[in-house]
Amino acid sequence: MGEIEQKPTPGSRLGAPENSGISTLEHGQKPPPTPSGKLMSIKIQMLDDTQEAFEVPQRAPGKVLLDAVCSHLNLVEGDYFGLEFPDHKKITVWLDLLKPIVKQIRRPKHVVVKFVVKFFPPDHTQLQEELTRYLFALQVKQDLAQGRLTCNDTSAALLISHIVQSEIGDFDEALDREHLAKNKYIPQQDALEDKIVEFHHNHIGQTPAESDFQLLEVARRLEMYGIRLHPAKDREGTKINLAVANTGILVFQGFTKINAFNWAKVRKLSFKRKRFLVKLRPDANSSYQDTLEFLMASRDFCKSFWKICVEHHAFFRLFEEPKPKPKPVLFSRGSSFRFSGRTQKQVLDYVKEGGHKKVQFERKHSKIHSIRSLATQPTEPNSEVPKQSPQSTSLTFGEGADSPGGQSCQPGKELKVSTPESGPHQSPALKKSPAGSKPADRATKAPPEEEEEEEGVRERVPQSKPQPPQPSTELSINSQGGTAPTNVTLSPNLSPDTKQASPLISPLLNDQACPRTDDEEEGRRKRFPTDKAYFIAKEVSTTERTYLKDLEVITSWFHSTVSTEDAMPETLKSLIFPNFEPLHKFHTNFLKEIEQRLALWEGRSNAHLRDHQRIGDVMLRNIQGMKPLAAHLWKHGEALEALENAIRSSRRLELLCRDFELQKVCYLPLNTFLLRPLHRLMHYQQVLERLCKHHAPSHADFRDCRAALAEMTEMVAQLHGTMIKMENFQKLHELKKDLIGIDNLVVPGREFIRLGSLSKLSGKGLQQRMFFLFNDVLLYTSRGLTASNQFKVHGQLPLYGMTIEQSEDEWGVPHCLTLRGQRQSIIVAASSRSEMEKWIEDIQMAIDLAEKSSGPTPEFLASSPPDNKSPDEATTADQESEDDLSASRTSLERQAPHRGNTMVHVCWHRNTSVSMVDFSVAVENQLSGNLLRKFKNSNGWQKLWVVFTNFCLFFYKSHQDNHPLASLPLLGYSLTVPSEAENIHKDYVFKLHFKSHVYYFRAESEYTFERWMEVIRSATSSASRAHVSSHKESHMY
């Protein structure tokens, strides 16, 4: 009778400040008061095997205890976790959050309650916080040790290698074997020791946070990940095991999954005594009966499993917590149990809104490495890998502190939290962030009002003596979504229809160790020339450095990869590499000449000689020297076509190229690098145009600049047609890698026009879909929950005979369009009026092109769904094909990694679109150079080498680095200059702003400031259709 009635206040953190807790209360609603009275002490076993005691009122519901644990850890995403304990019948059950604890745990002094992961999301990138991923990694480690997470030897060794990297740091064979001898991660570990050590060698430079991410990436692909088996029998009496997951009810025989019933197919779940009943929706194609029956050991076992099924369904499928049923007047029938807490969608929305404070935490096991690394720093074979400092195990997620800070636990207002064990046995310790600490702004993508995360990152360098812990923040997945940069924590990438966060989150390098003072920077600037022509010449130098690095991706890195594998035909090798190596040699000498001239211009040698304050003569001489290389440039389009044809016919070459694209050095799609020499000619032309415009006709450099411009304009005109054709060809092949269910996207005559995110109206409401517009057809797709991160084609609308009309009034949906094809009509909605207008303009243009062609195009999506479905059937396909996404793919393809933040993914996560015109403008607007960067709440500026290309900023420590440390996709960002209120009292500063995330960048001169503003603006706001005219006629492949 002592039950306390609770209003729905899922996730509120007892005793914690309101803005740092979790709550889904309605506006104005307050959480219920904590029951007063006698306190009882409950021991909680944490995921790191420590035990801590919490004192709560005896009449308090279970939610109070869970909130206390989460508040103690400062855990924002606590809804994924639960408390389990053995009941009086020794059955392990979950603590009911609504019932009083004293009614569930009869003898609390003799019971140890375990804090464990309860809900395993379909994709670990849906976990927004680094602390949450760390706790999930501890759960995986625990499941491995207990034999619950079964897998083959290779997977087990790979999992353990990531755990070892997180705990002791970089590879050192002697220390590895010593550590493995003292720590048993899995039964029969000795047989796997050599394999574990071999895998660990590949993780050099990986931070603990990145190790957690990679561990979960491997674990989530295992069949037993997050699975708890419940023994049962089927109707024939065969022994089986039942389990529940985010997708639905699973049936196992031993450890092998033999059946699965998705939530979409389940109509009702119930139990009657020992019988567990699953009522399915009618399906003409199914051989199953309407109701499935399973027999369990007892009523208690059956009810326990039914409850966890109800909770999983509510957490993963509902938008909000279910309302409590009204209490019956006379008597009740059946169980009154319901799910209590926030659903996954509410958790994601809360974190994306940024309504919480982020804190530091410490990793218990990584302290072993901290102590050891002070004495010995193992030699690392890859000098490009930034070293991890001894203190880097104190990791910051969110707004980290610059100073060490003291450990603290935050007890609730009416809650006493005591920690019987201390020292190395503490659970993740909390560190308060002092005011003014560096923000590592997190982002998350989402619907139009949701955010993407960008974080700060600091370089980890070996130190001669201990330093205070520095904020260690997160980096996003490398631009191609493969293995992330060395000192990177990979960021979230969330699932499709719930509009979750993107992998596109990229931190910026945050080097606290070597800040450049403002006085030093000002003094350095004043020594350099101020003439605009000097900065134009300097732009040639900085972009030439990046161009040479891009050439080396082909001439050095790709060549080396191809040489070690016998996968590429000799004819193809002779077509690619002999046509790139002469260019690399020529431009190496060209860069030396430019840098020598700049040194003279700056007065670093031979004083300020007026004759050297010019660049036109160097440009003219080298452009004339390029003419003999024109034959090589003509071959690059042919090389691109030959490579794609060879990939299509050779599975080995396809795998080789895909693996190469996942390397850090290949920060763009591989075929993009093959077109770099053609794009570089346009950059030279633009630079020379600026020089001619700047110089007066009487200037000594004007004649050479004009002559060089004439030579370059002639070369660009000769290659322009080939360039446009190859850009379209390259884009079609790039899109092909992002799509599933399409057989022959790249065909002669097809031209890409626009891609982007629109909401499609169906019987289930508005659903996010990715649309691809070509000159003959419009495709719509959705992103499935697969390892490949690809988009599955749901349907096609031929443009011949199509009409388009605005239909906001008809459907009551803002920015709504109706597309009427000859066989199918769909209703779509854009995220804004400007987006709607862009789509209308491009679709109408494409319809006109299709009408002028010879007639309707034939079907070309051999494996896509037919278009002539009824609306209900179309809705069902849209809803349920996500679950069957992998059915049409081979096991090899299903396991293959895929680039996680291509432009398609950026548009999906930021709910925007990009046209081929935008891509062409982006090709022309490339820039490199040093910038100073500052966070919103930080004080100092940090120098970075920044490359702008492909709608993205790539950040390097210096121009000598071979691969970027981080990337920041710019679609959706606004570009402004700081206001007076922001107190940025410096010249040449521009501001990048997305939702709550603000970055300031500082250029060295007015010219470079204007150039960065110009090129970034081209990425943050789409080009108008009028720009097409500057590209002359469109060329179709």
Side-chain angles (χ1 to χ4, degrees):
M1 298 296 292
E3 183 170 346
I4 303 297
E5 185 177 349
Q6 292 264 101
K7 290 184 180 180
T9 57
S12 59
R13 293 283 171 259
L14 183 66
E18 286 189 15
N19 62 351
S20 66
I22 304 178
S23 178
T24 55
L25 295 173
E26 295 297 325
H27 182 69
Q29 185 182 5
K30 295 182 178 179
T34 305
S36 58
K38 188 177 178 182
L39 299 177
M40 62 179 177
S41 179
I42 298 179
K43 286 181 285 187
I44 305 291
Q45 182 168 318
M46 300 296 188
L47 281 163
D48 59 2
D49 295 328
T50 62
Q51 284 189 13
E52 302 195 11
F54 292 81
E55 293 188 351
V56 295
Q58 282 186 338
R59 298 168 56 202
K63 183 179 182 319
V64 170
L65 181 58
L66 179 61
D67 285 351
V69 177
C70 294
S71 178
H72 166 64
L73 296 173
N74 265 19
L75 178 61
V76 175
E77 298 171 299
D79 302 77
Y80 289 104
F81 299 84
L83 298 170
E84 64 175 10
F85 65 97
D87 67 4
H88 63 286
K89 294 184 179 180
K90 303 302 180 185
I91 300 173
T92 300
V93 294
W94 294 100
L95 187 72
D96 191 321
L97 301 185
L98 295 182
K99 286 186 178 180
I101 300 171
V102 71
K103 282 193 171 186
Q104 303 180 68
I105 306 177
R106 296 191 177 180
R107 302 177 68 188
K109 289 184 179 179
H110 304 284
V111 173
V112 175
V113 179
K114 293 183 178 179
F115 176 75
V116 293
V117 177
K118 187 175 186 179
F119 300 112
F120 290 79
D123 191 340
H124 63 293
T125 54
Q126 292 176 340
L127 306 174
Q128 307 292 299
E129 300 295 328
E130 184 183 314
L131 173 59
T132 313
R133 293 193 290 272
Y134 169 59
L135 295 174
F136 266 72
L138 290 179
Q139 182 70 66
V140 170
K141 177 183 171 184
Q142 195 176 95
D143 290 348
L144 267 177
Q146 295 173 356
R148 184 180 288 161
L149 181 59
T150 58
C151 56
N152 59 39
D153 288 351
T154 302
S155 296
L158 185 56
L159 289 168
I160 296 171
S161 70
H162 284 300
I163 296 172
V164 171
Q165 174 70 21
S166 174
E167 292 184 357
I168 69 172
D170 288 342
F171 172 79
D172 181 309
E173 184 166 355
L175 289 168
D176 276 17
R177 295 191 184 278
E178 178 186 344
H179 185 74
L180 290 171
K182 294 179 181 178
N183 298 271
K184 294 298 179 186
Y185 297 103
I186 194 172
Q188 296 86 41
Q189 179 176 296
D190 294 343
L192 300 179
E193 186 171 308
D194 291 340
K195 195 171 284 189
I196 295 169
V197 171
E198 179 186 346
F199 281 133
H200 186 209
H201 185 268
N202 298 329
H203 305 329
I204 288 177
Q206 197 167 273
T207 64
E210 186 183 355
S211 297
D212 292 344
F213 192 96
Q214 298 298 345
L215 173 74
L216 297 176
E217 175 67 26
V218 176
R220 77 180 180 95
R221 301 169 189 270
L222 302 177
E223 196 163 67
M224 296 302 294
Y225 174 64
I227 296 299
R228 296 189 174 210
L229 299 178
H230 300 256
K233 293 181 181 179
D234 62 13
R235 277 183 171 171
E236 285 73 39
T238 305
K239 289 184 178 181
I240 57 171
N241 289 306
L242 297 179
V244 62
N246 56 80
T247 55
I249 310 289
L250 310 178
V251 184
F252 287 81
Q253 202 154 37
F255 291 102
T256 304
K257 185 169 70 174
I258 59 173
N259 214 334
F261 302 101
N262 293 330
W263 293 126
K265 299 175 183 176
V266 176
R267 182 178 173 187
K268 182 181 179 182
L269 292 174
S270 60
F271 73 95
K272 184 177 287 188
R273 297 185 180 88
K274 297 193 294 185
R275 290 182 296 146
F276 180 72
L277 306 172
V278 181
K279 192 167 187 178
L280 302 177
R281 298 185 185 279
D283 185 356
N285 300 320
S286 175
S287 59
Y288 298 115
Q289 300 175 6
D290 177 54
T291 303
L292 301 174
E293 184 177 308
F294 301 95
L295 193 67
M296 306 193 80
S298 69
R299 181 184 183 278
D300 290 337
F301 277 109
C302 197
K303 184 175 182 179
S304 175
F305 182 62
W306 172 79
K307 282 173 141 183
I308 191 61
C309 289
V310 169
E311 290 180 314
H312 269 72
H313 177 269
F315 184 76
F316 289 108
R317 296 282 288 184
L318 300 186
F319 286 161
E320 59 185 18
E321 178 187 10
K323 300 286 189 296
K325 294 179 181 178
K327 291 186 177 180
V329 178
L330 296 175
F331 54 86
S332 63
R333 180 185 178 189
S335 173
S336 62
F337 175 78
R338 66 181 178 87
F339 170 73
S340 173
R342 299 182 313 168
T343 65
Q344 187 190 31
K345 183 180 185 303
Q346 289 176 312
V347 177
L348 294 169
D349 290 346
Y350 174 79
V351 179
K352 288 166 191 171
E353 288 164 6
H356 59 280
K357 287 187 177 179
K358 304 177 181 182
V359 297
Q360 288 182 311
F361 69 94
E362 281 190 277
R363 297 163 179 272
K364 170 188 168 186
H365 301 291
S366 292
K367 292 181 180 179
I368 302 169
H369 182 235
S370 297
I371 297 167
R372 173 178 65 80
S373 61
L374 293 177
T376 79
Q377 283 284 350
T379 302
E380 301 181 43
N382 185 357
S383 62
E384 293 300 324
V385 176
K387 313 298 189 296
Q388 182 172 331
S389 73
Q391 285 72 25
S392 64
T393 52
S394 175
L395 292 168
T396 303
F397 68 103
E399 295 181 29
D402 287 336
S403 59
Q407 295 182 359
S408 67
C409 296
Q410 299 179 355
K413 293 175 184 175
E414 297 183 25
L415 203 67
K416 295 179 182 177
V417 180
S418 59
T419 309
E421 300 181 293
S422 59
H425 299 288
Q426 285 182 325
S427 62
L430 308 180
K431 291 200 172 188
K432 290 186 178 179
S433 300
S437 60
K438 280 226 181 275
D441 291 347
R442 265 191 167 282
T444 44
K445 142 51 237 231
E449 297 306 317
E450 298 170 10
E451 301 177 359
E452 294 238 14
E453 301 180 18
E454 290 81 28
E455 293 252 282
V457 172
R458 74 177 172 83
E459 185 186 20
R460 296 168 175 83
V461 292
Q463 313 245 344
S464 58
K465 59 181 180 179
Q467 300 289 332
Q470 303 288 342
S472 167
T473 51
E474 297 184 88
L475 268 175
S476 77
I477 296 178
N478 183 340
S479 82
Q480 296 309 308
T483 311
T486 323
N487 56 343
V488 168
T489 299
L490 299 179
S491 300
N493 134 345
L494 301 184
S495 74
D497 285 323
T498 50
K499 297 183 180 177
Q500 299 146 355
S502 131
L504 316 171
I505 308 170
S506 286
L508 309 176
L509 184 62
N510 178 14
D511 183 5
Q512 296 278 340
C514 313
R516 179 188 294 278
T517 66
D518 294 333
D519 291 340
E520 288 174 353
E521 185 62 27
E522 292 296 336
R524 186 192 64 82
R525 273 198 224 172
K526 289 174 183 176
R527 294 196 301 269
F528 286 170
T530 56
D531 183 13
K532 181 178 178 180
Y534 163 78
F535 292 106
I536 297 175
K538 191 170 182 181
E539 181 184 331
V540 178
S541 169
T542 56
T543 53
E544 193 74 9
R545 286 173 178 172
T546 300
Y547 175 53
L548 270 177
K549 287 291 184 183
D550 288 348
L551 289 179
E552 286 170 9
V553 172
I554 301 296
T555 60
S556 177
W557 299 93
F558 188 53
H559 193 189
S560 174
T561 301
V562 168
S563 300
T564 56
E565 299 279 346
D566 187 22
M568 181 179 284
E570 289 299 325
T571 53
L572 183 56
K573 289 182 184 177
S574 62
L575 183 59
I576 295 177
F577 303 114
N579 285 306
F580 273 83
E581 285 156 3
L583 292 177
H584 182 267
K585 183 178 179 181
F586 174 84
H587 286 279
T588 301
N589 294 326
F590 182 24
L591 177 59
K592 286 179 183 176
E593 275 197 64
I594 296 173
E595 289 181 335
Q596 288 169 359
R597 176 57 57 87
L598 287 174
L600 295 172
W601 201 331
E602 293 165 2
R604 285 181 275 168
S605 59
N606 295 345
H608 279 64
L609 301 178
R610 298 290 299 176
D611 187 51
H612 294 301
Q613 295 184 10
R614 51 187 298 193
I615 196 67
D617 57 331
V618 177
M619 295 292 291
L620 178 60
R621 184 165 57 252
N622 282 277
I623 287 172
Q624 289 172 342
M626 285 182 201
K627 285 195 170 183
L629 300 175
H632 298 294
L633 295 173
W634 281 101
K635 291 284 187 181
H636 291 170
E638 184 182 341
L640 175 60
E641 291 189 41
L643 177 62
E644 294 295 348
N645 291 334
I647 288 173
R648 190 164 60 248
S649 58
S650 169
R651 180 66 177 169
R652 283 188 63 195
L653 182 59
E654 179 187 357
L655 292 174
L656 181 143
C657 292
R658 186 183 63 206
D659 290 344
F660 180 76
E661 282 193 328
L662 297 180
Q663 293 184 26
K664 301 167 194 174
V665 72
C666 190
Y667 66 101
L668 297 172
L670 175 60
N671 53 19
T672 301
F673 291 101
L674 294 175
L675 296 181
R676 275 293 192 250
L678 299 178
H679 297 155
R680 186 60 178 158
L681 298 181
M682 291 194 295
H683 303 159
Y684 293 140
Q685 184 181 17
Q686 289 179 346
V687 167
L688 289 166
E689 285 173 351
R690 284 195 289 273
L691 281 169
C692 289
K693 186 176 180 181
H694 170 68
H695 290 315
S698 58
H699 194 278
D701 205 26
F702 179 77
R703 180 176 294 180
D704 286 339
C705 289
R706 189 171 60 178
L709 176 60
E711 299 270 7
M712 186 51 61
T713 302
E714 182 183 352
M715 290 183 69
V716 169
Q718 291 174 354
L719 292 166
H720 186 74
T722 301
M723 198 181 310
I724 296 298
K725 176 185 174 184
M726 286 301 102
E727 283 177 1
N728 183 67
F729 180 80
Q730 182 266 331
K731 186 53 60 182
L732 290 175
H733 276 282
E734 187 180 334
L735 294 177
K736 182 182 174 184
K737 295 175 186 177
D738 283 312
L739 296 174
I740 300 174
I742 185 166
D743 288 343
N744 50 343
L745 179 66
V746 186
V747 295
R750 176 154 298 124
E751 183 181 1
F752 165 68
I753 297 175
R754 180 175 288 275
L755 65 85
S757 172
L758 294 171
S759 296
K760 179 175 175 288
L761 187 63
S762 68
K764 298 291 184 180
L766 288 172
Q767 296 176 308
Q768 186 181 8
R769 293 290 178 257
M770 198 69 187
F771 281 74
F772 298 83
L773 176 64
F774 302 92
N775 62 337
D776 57 345
V777 72
L778 177 67
L779 308 182
Y780 59 92
T781 69
S782 71
R783 205 186 78 172
L785 300 180
T786 63
S788 64
N789 284 324
Q790 290 168 288
F791 290 79
K792 181 171 182 179
V793 176
H794 285 305
Q796 57 169 319
L797 282 81
L799 297 180
Y800 186 82
M802 179 187 285
T803 60
I804 179 173
E805 60 188 51
Q806 297 187 41
S807 50
E808 295 181 67
D809 296 336
E810 181 181 353
W811 297 100
V813 177
H815 322 308
C816 185
L817 303 172
T818 300
L819 305 175
R820 302 188 189 280
Q822 292 185 334
R823 289 174 299 159
Q824 181 188 7
S825 297
I826 63 172
I827 298 96
V828 297
S831 60
S832 65
R833 179 154 297 277
S834 62
E835 277 292 304
M836 178 184 73
E837 291 169 353
K838 292 174 192 174
W839 279 104
I840 291 176
E841 183 181 6
D842 282 349
I843 293 174
Q844 190 59 59
M845 181 195 70
I847 291 173
D848 294 342
L849 289 174
E851 295 291 341
K852 293 175 183 176
S853 66
S854 55
T857 55
E859 297 284 333
F860 74 97
L861 304 180
S863 51
S864 67
D867 284 330
N868 52 357
K869 295 179 293 190
S870 69
D872 289 341
E873 290 172 333
T875 299
T876 305
D878 279 1
Q879 287 290 314
E880 299 187 5
S881 60
E882 316 289 353
D883 301 321
D884 304 322
L885 199 55
S886 61
S888 63
R889 315 194 70 212
T890 67
S891 60
L892 181 61
E893 289 173 320
R894 199 176 305 131
Q895 296 168 8
H898 185 70
R899 298 170 296 128
N901 67 341
T902 61
M903 191 50 55
V904 179
H905 290 83
V906 177
C907 290
W908 171 268
H909 289 296
R910 294 188 181 170
N911 214 10
T912 186
S913 67
V914 179
S915 70
M916 190 62 199
V917 174
D918 298 324
F919 282 108
S920 299
V921 172
V923 162
E924 296 175 7
N925 288 295
Q926 297 185 18
L927 195 59
S928 310
N930 286 310
L931 287 175
L932 299 178
R933 193 242 42 225
K934 176 186 177 304
F935 285 124
K936 180 168 59 176
N937 296 326
S938 62
N939 296 320
W941 295 82
Q942 184 205 352
K943 187 176 180 181
L944 296 168
W945 178 261
V946 184
V947 174
F948 170 80
T949 185
N950 207 38
F951 302 93
C952 195
L953 291 178
F954 294 93
F955 302 96
Y956 300 74
K957 183 60 184 169
S958 78
H959 68 84
Q960 296 170 329
D961 292 350
N962 288 322
H963 56 78
L965 295 172
S967 61
L968 180 63
L970 293 177
L971 283 178
Y973 268 79
S974 61
L975 176 69
T976 58
V977 294
S979 64
E980 285 292 329
E982 292 172 274
N983 293 321
I984 305 293
H985 303 301
K986 299 292 177 186
D987 295 330
Y988 317 130
V989 175
F990 60 89
K991 170 184 170 183
L992 280 172
H993 178 222
F994 179 75
K995 301 294 174 71
S996 61
H997 309 296
V998 177
Y999 301 98
Y1000 301 100
F1001 293 92
R1002 188 169 152 207
E1004 65 179 350
S1005 69
E1006 183 180 2
Y1007 171 79
T1008 51
F1009 167 77
E1010 291 172 351
R1011 283 290 293 139
W1012 280 107
M1013 291 281 284
E1014 178 187 348
V1015 299
I1016 292 176
R1017 190 175 286 114
S1018 72
T1020 55
S1021 58
S1022 297
S1024 66
R1025 176 58 55 187
H1027 188 87
V1028 176
S1029 60
S1030 68
H1031 289 265
K1032 302 185 180 179
E1033 302 178 275
S1034 61
H1035 291 254
M1036 295 180 292
Y1037 167 63

